[in-house]
Amino acid sequence: MVIIEAPDVMQKRIRVPQQILDHCKAAGIPTAGNAAGRQGYDLKGAPEGPYPYPLGWTSKAKGAMAGCILSALVGFASILWYGWSSQQSYRPVATTDDNELNTAENS
């Protein structure tokens, strides 16, 4: 779909390529006139839309929200599980202060 904001300026500055005109002709789309392919303000047969979204929570919206919440909870649980399970495999590391204390006590 081609939307033209200023058709009078476009007609003065550029020319529509013949390929586009051929495609429109093959598809049965008029290449002259208004949005309905007619002259003036006669818009009978013009395409409608876009339609407004329904108000409130639709079933698709509820399902999408539930899926987002579920994936967030699974993500949080995996982070917690990984963090808690990896703590057992770490051994405390002696710092320089601990080494200095141990050598001072042994002498």
Side-chain angles (χ1 to χ4, degrees):
M1 174 186 238
V2 177
I3 298 175
I4 301 168
E5 184 176 327
D8 54 338
V9 175
M10 180 184 150
Q11 289 172 351
K12 292 176 187 174
R13 292 187 182 175
I14 64 171
R15 184 168 176 246
V16 178
Q18 188 61 39
Q19 183 182 9
I20 292 178
L21 297 173
D22 294 340
H23 282 283
C24 290
K25 184 178 181 181
I29 301 170
T31 57
N34 58 20
R38 302 175 188 271
Q39 297 299 321
Y41 296 111
D42 183 13
L43 294 175
K44 291 178 187 164
E48 294 181 23
Y51 298 105
Y53 287 107
L55 296 176
W57 286 89
T58 62
S59 58
K60 287 174 78 173
K62 290 176 186 176
M65 181 63 82
C68 289
I69 292 171
L70 180 65
S71 66
L73 292 176
V74 169
F76 289 145
S78 67
I79 291 170
L80 291 174
W81 174 67
Y82 179 76
W84 283 332
S85 66
S86 63
Q87 284 181 354
Q88 297 169 357
S89 63
Y90 291 118
R91 284 180 274 147
V93 178
T95 62
T96 56
D97 294 339
D98 292 339
N99 288 336
E100 291 172 5
L101 290 175
N102 288 336
T103 55
E105 291 174 359
N106 292 337
S107 45

